[in-house]
Amino acid sequence: MSIEKRESGISPRTFDEIRKGGELTTWCTLREHDPECLPRCTRRDSPSRLLLFRKPGNKRPVCRVSSGMTSAQIDVPAKRKPLRLWPGVVLVALQWLAGFVLPFVVPEAMLYGMLGGILGGGLAVVLWWLFFSRARWSERVGALVLMTIALVATSHVVHESIRNAAMGMMLPMFAIPVLSLALVCWAAASRRFSSGPRRASLVAAILLACGVFTLLRTGGMNGDGASDLHWRWTQTPEERLLALAGNEPAAGPSPPTAAKAVAQWPGFRGPQRDGIVRGVHIATDWSRSPPVELWRRPIGPGWSSFAVSGELVYTQEQRGDDEVVACYNLTTGQPVWRHHDAARFWESNAGAGPRATPTLSNEHVYTLGATGIVNALAAADGAVVWSRNAAADTGKKIPGWGFAGSPLVIDDVVIVATAGRLVAYDLASGAPRWLGPAGGGGYSSPHLVTLGGVKQILLLSGAGAISVAPDTGTQLWEYLWQSDGIVQPALTADGDILIGTGSGMAAGVGVRRIAVAHRTSAWTAEERWTAVGLKPYFNDFVVHQGHAFGFDGSFLACIDLVDGQRKWKGGRYGHGQLILLPDQDLLLVLSEKGELALVSATPNQFRELGRFPAIEGKIWNHPVLAGDVLLIRNDQQMAAFRLSLAGR
């Protein structure tokens, strides 16, 4: 809006005073105006013209005098343009679609949706609000400052599972889109409010957006990063288990000869740690002969798998403040004995409990807890033979996900991996025998192989792969490749090594084939190829008939070991686990959501033969097949199923 300057010689100071007076109401001459206005006039350049302004809050105009000469135009603040809302509405809609809708349609896009949709969308909303919204500058800056303060304050009062999740990024990742939505909704709803109610409603909207997170907790994340949200006041499965602990059946005596039986499944991923079950043929028509449940029972949290010997099953779990090595009866699922250590590991993404699987050898069970406690226990009754702390022995701090490497028994030593570093203990006394070279972090287990006729222990870490001599721990060779250091290595039929990584957070990704050779007095390790068609994260892969089968994100995939080319990709099983039945060219897949599936282990095409719902909840634990009994568990329950054998 503009007014005519009635006198070309009006001073800038007079004009500034006129501009600051308030809202222009009218022009009038001194004769036309109510004489009562004159005492309220603050300045009189000429009695010929009056310029009337209304100050905010005044019902009647306040007079300002302007001189009476004419000509030029003087600009005064125009009526404020309406808020430009549509860009904010579009940006928030895209932000929510990318961050929350896309990951449910394409689960493997969760990470990209979070980073691109939520964080990128949040930045776009901030830019719109600051530079294109047409809001008052006090509101533009004030809203962003208030949101920042509210988010920081909220981080101190939310549940620890929310505060620590996703490496401390869960609250910002969820709060940014909620605050963006709250800002746009407030701007639209308060357009016609006066300044007081408008500002008060802004504070209320921001506090409500942040306050909702104080009412929640998370039970962890799945492999794609989706959170398992619950109301803060609800009990966790572990709390429900502890509340029922008094009603559990008492531990019974072990079968008299079970502890002396040959272990069908002596530890992590089977006798050779390769996830292969030899000599077993199962019926594959599950429509006629589905798995039959033998028993099911609640269990404490943990990502340990099972070791099986005779009628005894061994695993690890968390019960309150105690880390537990537990023994159960294979036929009934009833507890046989439990060993308790006063230790508790918890982190927000995967929850509480031990990560490693017990190892059976010579009527003893060897375990590594998430905080580094190494136990040698009598397999029959859990009596302590010896105990050590591997974290103290190696000088390693507890890593973010806890110690996860399952012990490996070779001859008269038991070898433990602590975040990329190996330590060997005397099998009988527990005395440290040797300490391996410092590694680059990681969660893989020590792996026994024979290369060039030489026994050696492989260990994957964040820095790559190392090999050491079993009797001394002396390093034989090293191959550098920045990776996750989680899954187990695998061997090809002609003696090459396969290592894998799949999180996308390390420099390396995919499966790499390494040729290892012993020339004169030195070992060499060289890359043959790297395949990105199979990207194992924490889901181990298997090798069969010149091909590797495993998880590529949430899908199964098969690659050719000659050149690394992918043969097929299919199915959607989340971040599950699998075992191989080579005699039948068959994969037994356990999905992340607890479904069992039979998949053909052939390179021609992906072919699923059957599917069966087995257990509820997130499953990262490796399944075990001991004879015709399949054992599965997660952080809440475990179950046993009998699989019909082929020909019966």
Side-chain angles (χ1 to χ4, degrees):
M1 180 178 182
S2 64
I3 61 172
E4 290 189 354
K5 180 179 177 184
R6 302 302 183 182
E7 180 182 42
S8 60
I10 186 170
S11 68
R13 180 179 178 185
T14 301
F15 179 65
D16 288 342
E17 290 178 1
I18 292 172
R19 288 175 60 98
K20 296 176 182 176
E23 180 183 354
L24 175 67
T25 58
T26 185
W27 276 96
C28 66
T29 65
L30 192 57
R31 302 184 192 87
E32 295 168 352
H33 199 271
D34 184 354
E36 292 182 4
C37 179
L38 292 176
R40 294 193 297 276
C41 293
T42 60
R43 186 179 181 96
R44 180 180 296 174
D45 282 3
S46 169
S48 60
R49 295 288 181 185
L50 292 176
L51 181 60
L52 303 186
F53 279 75
R54 185 188 306 276
K55 288 187 175 180
N58 290 350
K59 295 183 178 179
R60 299 186 63 182
V62 174
C63 303
R64 291 297 176 107
V65 182
S66 108
S67 35
M69 296 182 67
T70 65
S71 67
Q73 291 286 317
I74 300 177
D75 291 333
V76 298
K79 183 178 179 181
R80 184 173 297 279
K81 293 181 179 180
L83 285 174
R84 186 185 282 120
L85 282 174
W86 70 265
V89 173
V90 171
L91 289 172
V92 169
L94 292 175
Q95 183 184 46
W96 280 69
L97 284 172
F100 299 111
V101 177
L102 178 64
F104 283 99
V105 179
V106 187
E108 56 272 18
M110 173 71 71
L111 179 62
Y112 303 103
M114 285 289 185
L115 295 179
I118 294 179
L119 301 181
L123 178 60
V125 169
V126 169
L127 293 176
W128 157 73
W129 179 246
L130 274 179
F131 301 110
F132 305 104
S133 65
R134 294 175 179 164
R136 298 178 186 272
W137 273 105
S138 60
E139 292 178 350
R140 300 187 206 187
V141 176
L144 297 180
V145 170
L146 182 58
M147 285 192 288
T148 302
I149 294 173
L151 186 58
V152 172
T154 303
S155 68
H156 289 84
V157 295
V158 294
H159 192 269
E160 62 176 345
S161 63
I162 300 286
R163 182 168 55 252
N164 298 319
M167 294 175 287
M169 290 299 297
M170 180 178 177
L171 179 60
M173 286 193 300
F174 277 83
I176 286 173
V178 174
L179 284 169
S180 300
L181 178 63
L183 177 65
V184 171
C185 291
W186 164 79
S190 65
R191 283 177 294 176
R192 293 179 175 83
F193 290 5
S194 59
S195 59
R198 183 173 170 83
R199 292 170 183 170
S201 60
L202 172 63
V203 174
I206 292 174
L207 292 180
L208 179 63
C210 288
V212 67
F213 294 102
T214 65
L215 306 178
L216 302 174
R217 67 169 178 84
T218 176
M221 292 184 173
N222 67 12
D224 290 316
S227 292
D228 179 27
L229 296 174
H230 303 271
W231 294 116
R232 185 171 185 163
W233 52 85
T234 57
Q235 284 187 318
T236 65
E238 183 186 7
E239 288 170 338
R240 293 195 295 269
L241 174 64
L242 294 175
L244 296 173
N247 298 323
E248 275 194 308
S254 61
T257 61
K260 297 182 180 180
V262 176
Q264 305 101 301
W265 197 269
F268 184 54
R269 302 190 71 218
Q272 298 181 31
R273 297 203 163 176
D274 54 6
I276 298 178
V277 183
R278 298 168 176 85
V280 176
H281 295 72
I282 64 172
T284 58
D285 186 354
W286 281 0
S287 61
R288 292 185 176 183
S289 305
V292 177
E293 182 176 319
L294 299 178
W295 50 263
R296 182 185 302 264
R297 65 176 295 112
I299 193 172
W303 301 110
S304 173
S305 182
F306 301 98
V308 182
S309 178
E311 284 294 304
L312 298 182
V313 176
Y314 304 86
T315 191
Q316 294 193 95
E317 56 188 286
Q318 190 73 39
R319 300 232 173 182
D321 294 328
D322 288 348
E323 201 169 58
V324 175
V325 181
C327 177
Y328 296 92
N329 185 282
L330 177 65
T331 303
T332 65
Q334 295 301 311
V336 176
W337 56 259
R338 291 193 182 108
H339 168 80
H340 293 250
D341 286 304
R344 180 178 179 86
F345 176 83
W346 175 90
E347 58 85 27
S348 176
N349 300 308
R355 275 69 172 136
T357 299
T359 298
L360 293 171
S361 179
N362 299 320
E363 302 179 25
H364 292 87
V365 55
Y366 300 90
T367 62
L368 173 67
T371 63
I373 297 174
V374 181
N375 283 315
L377 309 173
D381 57 12
V384 177
V385 179
W386 54 261
S387 184
R388 301 284 306 190
N389 189 303
D393 293 335
T394 60
K396 282 282 190 175
K397 294 182 179 179
I398 301 174
W401 297 78
F403 292 117
S406 301
L408 174 67
V409 174
I410 302 177
D411 300 326
D412 61 346
V413 295
V414 56
I415 301 165
V416 171
T418 55
R421 191 170 198 183
L422 295 169
V423 57
Y425 298 100
D426 185 88
L427 208 57
S429 67
R433 294 274 288 269
W434 53 257
L435 187 63
Y443 303 92
S444 185
S445 299
H447 201 102
L448 178 65
V449 298
T450 300
L451 298 176
V454 178
K455 279 188 177 182
Q456 47 198 282
I457 302 168
L458 301 186
L459 180 67
L460 302 190
S461 70
I466 62 170
S467 168
V468 302
D471 53 347
T472 63
T474 303
Q475 181 174 306
L476 301 179
W477 55 265
E478 179 181 26
Y479 183 82
L480 298 179
W481 189 42
Q482 290 186 2
S483 60
D484 300 323
I486 300 177
V487 298
Q488 293 302 111
L491 261 65
T492 66
D494 51 359
D496 282 355
I497 296 171
L498 301 173
I499 59 177
T501 180
S503 72
M505 293 183 285
V509 65
V511 171
R512 178 167 291 185
R513 179 169 178 168
I514 302 171
V516 179
H518 189 200
R519 296 186 176 94
T520 62
S521 60
W523 289 84
T524 62
E526 299 175 348
E527 175 190 357
R528 287 194 188 274
W529 48 253
T530 299
V532 296
L534 179 61
K535 298 181 284 293
Y537 182 10
F538 52 85
N539 326 95
D540 283 290
F541 59 96
V542 295
V543 172
H544 179 59
Q545 297 293 333
H547 295 82
F549 300 85
F551 286 84
D552 184 47
S554 59
F555 295 89
L556 278 186
C558 168
I559 62 172
D560 193 323
L561 295 184
V562 173
D563 54 12
Q565 293 299 307
R566 185 160 62 196
K567 305 298 289 185
W568 54 254
K569 180 178 179 179
R572 180 170 282 175
Y573 303 101
H575 291 259
Q577 303 289 357
L578 55 79
I579 52 180
L580 170 70
L581 282 68
D583 300 335
Q584 292 180 274
D585 297 331
L586 190 66
L587 299 172
L588 182 56
V589 181
L590 180 60
S591 80
E592 190 175 16
K593 293 184 177 180
E595 288 184 305
L596 288 169
L598 293 177
V599 176
S600 177
T602 56
N604 301 328
Q605 63 178 355
F606 168 78
R607 189 162 61 99
E608 184 180 279
L609 306 178
R611 190 178 285 224
F612 178 80
I615 196 170
E616 295 182 354
K618 175 179 68 182
I619 296 184
W620 290 345
N621 314 66
H622 286 72
V624 167
L625 183 59
D628 61 351
V629 177
L630 177 69
L631 295 167
I632 59 176
R633 64 159 290 187
N634 58 14
D635 60 338
Q636 302 179 30
Q637 58 179 313
M638 62 179 181
F641 296 87
R642 190 176 301 282
L643 303 183
S644 296
L645 297 179
R648 291 187 181 180

